[in-house]
Short mmCIF file of all heavy atoms in Angstrom, two decimals:
data_model
loop_
_atom_site.label_atom_id
_atom_site.label_comp_id
_atom_site.label_asym_id
_atom_site.label_seq_id
_atom_site.Cartn_x
_atom_site.Cartn_y
_atom_site.Cartn_z
N ARG A 33 24.59 10.86 -2.69
CA ARG A 33 24.28 12.23 -2.27
C ARG A 33 22.92 12.31 -1.54
O ARG A 33 22.75 13.26 -0.62
CB ARG A 33 24.29 13.04 -3.44
CG ARG A 33 25.53 13.15 -4.18
CD ARG A 33 26.68 13.77 -3.48
NE ARG A 33 27.99 13.85 -4.30
CZ ARG A 33 28.82 12.88 -4.01
NH1 ARG A 33 28.90 12.10 -3.03
NH2 ARG A 33 30.09 13.07 -4.72
N SER A 99 50.60 -12.14 34.42
CA SER A 99 50.50 -13.63 34.79
C SER A 99 50.92 -14.50 33.55
O SER A 99 50.93 -14.04 32.41
CB SER A 99 48.90 -14.04 35.09
OG SER A 99 48.14 -13.96 33.93
N ALA A 156 35.44 15.54 18.68
CA ALA A 156 36.05 16.20 17.37
C ALA A 156 36.03 15.20 16.15
O ALA A 156 35.66 15.71 15.09
CB ALA A 156 37.43 16.62 17.59
N ALA A 278 17.58 -2.60 28.04
CA ALA A 278 18.17 -2.17 26.72
C ALA A 278 17.24 -1.20 25.94
O ALA A 278 17.41 -1.12 24.75
CB ALA A 278 18.48 -3.38 25.84
N ALA A 569 9.90 -13.19 -6.43
CA ALA A 569 8.72 -12.38 -6.05
C ALA A 569 7.52 -13.02 -6.67
O ALA A 569 7.53 -13.40 -7.91
CB ALA A 569 8.94 -10.99 -6.42
N VAL A 595 23.22 -52.39 15.36
CA VAL A 595 22.44 -51.87 16.46
C VAL A 595 21.03 -51.51 15.96
O VAL A 595 19.95 -52.06 16.58
CB VAL A 595 23.02 -50.74 17.17
CG1 VAL A 595 21.98 -50.08 18.22
CG2 VAL A 595 24.33 -51.01 17.83
N LYS A 715 35.64 -19.11 -14.05
CA LYS A 715 36.90 -18.40 -14.18
C LYS A 715 38.06 -18.91 -13.35
O LYS A 715 39.13 -19.01 -13.84
CB LYS A 715 36.58 -16.84 -13.89
CG LYS A 715 37.84 -15.96 -14.19
CD LYS A 715 37.50 -14.54 -13.92
CE LYS A 715 38.87 -13.67 -14.10
NZ LYS A 715 38.49 -12.24 -13.76
#
Side-chain angles (χ1 to χ4, degrees):
R33 301 290 179 259
S99 66
V595 172
K715 183 178 180 181

